[in-house]
Amino acid sequence: MLVVQKYGGTSVGSLERIQNVANKVAKNKDENKDLVVVVSAMSGETNKLIDYAHYFSKNPSPREMDLLLSSGERVTAALLAIALNEMGYKAIALTGRQAGITTDTTHTYARIKEIKTDRIKKEIEDGNIVIVAGFQGINDKGEITTLGRGGSDLSAVALAGALSADACEIYSDVDGVYTTDPRIEPKAKKLDFISYDEMLELSSLGAKVLQNRSVELAKKMGVKIIAKSTFSDNEGTIIADKKEGEDMEELLVSGVALDKNQARVSLRGVTDRPGIAAEIFEKLAQKNINVDMIIQNASKDGKTNLGFTIPQNQLLEAKKVIESFDHDLEGSDYDEWVAKVSVVGVGMKSHSGVAAVAFKALADNNINIEMISTSEIKISMIIDEKFGELAVRLLHEAYGLDK
Ligand code: ASP
Ligand code: MG
């Protein structure tokens, strides 16, 4: 049985904690598992290295940044191998290049192209526990690249896929994926299982357990992920494919997420002519402004109203774009104090009336819904930010997630 394990920054955040990981890895080896262990940099280390670079320059060269940042993971990998050797276990630490991870040429945000697994396979055959420095690879010019923040998750999933591992266990300081943020709703429950698609919706909404790209890759390669805590023996949450209707008692809804980093833009009296929406949204896109929900009202006397949401921190930039359309609208206003609550669940696909439950739960408590958008597995609602937490608790209860 081949298992890929990944230990995040907090799990290896001190020398004692690296020893603790070494003990866990050793225990797994004693159970006769073949192991590839991917490690992050010690917590805070990557940020510290970035600060170091910014001491000298506002715009450090991306090539040098990759060389710098990749060192954090190498330190942990080498230390873990040294600790395991000292305990009498055969272990070898590899950089991304030595592990055969090749990427494209984009520095600081590279994509993995291919993993040449011969070296890792040979080391496993020789009886080694293979420790791999996460978050990095090499491009075809022989330059070191890194995979973007949180990229060690991606390294682990890619390795698990390339090696056809039996499992990919991602260890962090939380013991899995919850029905909602337990700090908002203490009755939140840990999920035994969540599908890739639900996980992608929940993480883009702020439930940061796994790096998004790693979930996308896991879905593409069919890698089953188990998210677990390093500091407990709890079961964790399995992230895999869920076939519709497979489980008769499947939850209609898996989770409720809150995103307060939202702002609403409302445009009044927009000239209703073909192409106006294209012009506005093209210009916003050129400025890399992420438009989320869009509402256009039926037009009256050649004028229409248009509303949409964007990330709060892009509001200034968006205002500038809107000002350039002055001649095409009567007025605009902006509201930073909105939040998006979303209800996510694959069970929605095959059931009707799921959205009505959400609308009623909010209406019964006098929370006004300003905008709505839906997909096959998600209902999102824009509301006044001050009701965000309350709405999460109401929806959590309305769908029986506390049971
Ligand atoms: N050390 C990198 C970061 O902090 C990669 C990772 O931890 O996954 O983003
Ligand atoms: Mg991480």
Side-chain angles (χ1 to χ4, degrees):
M1 170 153 172
L2 172 65
V3 179
V4 173
Q5 300 188 326
K6 180 257 171 177
Y7 292 91
T10 353
S11 306
V12 293
S14 68
L15 301 180
E16 291 79 9
R17 286 186 172 181
I18 292 175
Q19 183 62 60
N20 173 51
V21 167
N23 298 344
K24 276 186 91 101
V25 170
K27 213 173 127 207
N28 278 278
K29 186 68 188 172
D30 291 344
E31 292 164 8
N32 266 323
K33 291 178 191 160
D34 288 328
L35 293 166
V36 174
V37 181
V38 178
V39 287
S40 280
M42 295 169 79
S43 56
E45 200 58 28
T46 307
N47 288 337
K48 193 180 88 185
L49 294 170
I50 292 172
D51 288 346
Y52 282 178
H54 288 154
Y55 176 84
F56 299 102
S57 166
K58 269 194 202 132
N59 285 311
S61 111
R63 180 193 176 277
E64 271 57 41
M65 283 310 278
D66 275 349
L67 185 63
L68 179 68
L69 298 190
S70 66
S71 68
E73 269 67 12
R74 295 174 179 214
V75 170
T76 333
L79 291 176
L80 181 58
I82 291 169
L84 281 161
N85 288 337
E86 188 61 23
M87 293 163 72
Y89 289 83
K90 279 185 83 176
I92 185 167
L94 303 176
T95 65
R97 180 183 66 77
Q98 290 172 320
I101 301 174
T102 57
T103 73
D104 66 11
T105 53
T106 328
H107 280 294
T108 76
Y109 203 75
R111 298 191 153 267
I112 296 177
K113 285 207 317 207
E114 198 198 345
I115 300 188
K116 301 190 181 87
T117 53
D118 4 332
R119 174 75 190 268
I120 293 186
K121 283 185 178 150
K122 183 189 152 287
E123 299 298 349
I124 293 173
E125 267 161 38
D126 288 351
N128 275 304
I129 299 167
V130 183
I131 320 281
V132 179
F135 176 56
Q136 58 191 278
I138 189 114
N139 67 27
D140 50 20
K141 293 183 187 132
E143 303 282 19
I144 293 171
T145 51
T146 61
L147 307 175
R149 297 308 303 268
S152 296
D153 289 350
L154 195 64
S155 308
V157 168
L159 282 167
L163 293 162
S164 307
D166 296 288
C168 181
E169 302 172 347
I170 308 262
Y171 288 90
S172 70
D173 51 0
V174 288
D175 56 4
V177 182
Y178 278 73
T179 49
T180 194
D181 185 341
R183 286 167 303 185
I184 298 176
E185 173 52 277
K187 288 186 209 143
K189 293 261 178 313
K190 185 171 67 65
L191 293 161
D192 296 330
F193 186 96
I194 190 166
S195 70
Y196 298 120
D197 289 327
E198 290 168 316
M199 186 65 211
L200 285 168
E201 292 292 1
L202 287 172
S203 64
S204 66
L205 298 168
K208 290 268 173 267
V209 181
L210 285 169
Q211 188 217 34
N212 244 1
R213 279 168 74 198
S214 70
V215 181
E216 278 163 17
L217 187 68
K219 181 184 171 186
K220 207 164 113 191
M221 301 184 84
V223 172
K224 182 170 117 182
I225 297 177
I226 308 165
K228 287 184 173 189
S229 165
T230 314
F231 307 107
S232 81
D233 288 321
N234 289 353
E235 285 281 305
T237 302
I238 295 171
I239 299 130
D241 248 329
K242 179 153 37 178
K243 307 254 172 355
E244 229 183 305
E246 196 173 66
D247 179 358
M248 295 298 286
E249 285 176 277
E250 85 183 342
L251 286 175
L252 208 52
V253 162
S254 295
V256 180
L258 174 65
D259 179 1
K260 288 185 160 186
N261 175 31
Q262 289 275 321
R264 183 166 53 82
V265 178
S266 309
L267 309 181
R268 274 173 290 110
V270 184
T271 321
D272 197 13
R273 59 173 170 81
I276 178 75
E279 280 171 41
I280 293 175
F281 292 110
E282 238 163 51
K283 212 152 175 190
L284 290 163
Q286 277 163 13
K287 299 280 175 203
N288 285 318
I289 295 169
N290 249 320
V291 176
D292 186 14
M293 290 191 212
I294 303 174
I295 291 184
Q296 186 182 332
N297 292 9
S299 71
K300 215 179 131 199
D301 309 324
K303 303 270 183 198
T304 186
N305 294 334
L306 195 58
F308 54 90
T309 61
I310 54 169
Q312 206 169 301
N313 55 10
Q314 295 188 312
L315 193 55
L316 267 178
E317 200 62 31
K319 275 185 187 173
K320 275 191 233 156
V321 172
I322 299 306
E323 274 158 21
S324 71
F325 284 95
D326 255 358
H327 50 283
D328 263 317
L329 33 114
E330 281 164 7
S332 56
D333 57 79
Y334 303 88
D335 188 355
E336 282 183 63
W337 306 107
V338 294
K340 178 168 74 174
V341 273
S342 302
V343 174
V344 175
V346 287
M348 281 180 206
K349 281 190 197 174
S350 45
H351 289 79
S352 52
V354 181
V357 172
F359 303 154
K360 181 155 192 318
L362 299 188
D364 285 350
N365 289 275
N366 280 321
I367 298 175
N368 186 42
I369 303 170
E370 299 176 24
M371 284 175 148
I372 300 166
S373 79
T374 59
S375 76
E376 268 201 310
I377 65 161
K378 182 177 76 165
I379 307 154
S380 293
M381 291 152 287
I382 293 291
I383 59 170
D384 190 330
E385 188 175 296
K386 68 171 183 276
F387 297 129
E389 281 86 0
L390 174 61
V392 167
R393 288 191 287 269
L394 292 169
L395 294 169
H396 197 263
E397 197 190 337
Y399 290 102
L401 291 173
D402 48 351
K403 301 276 151 53

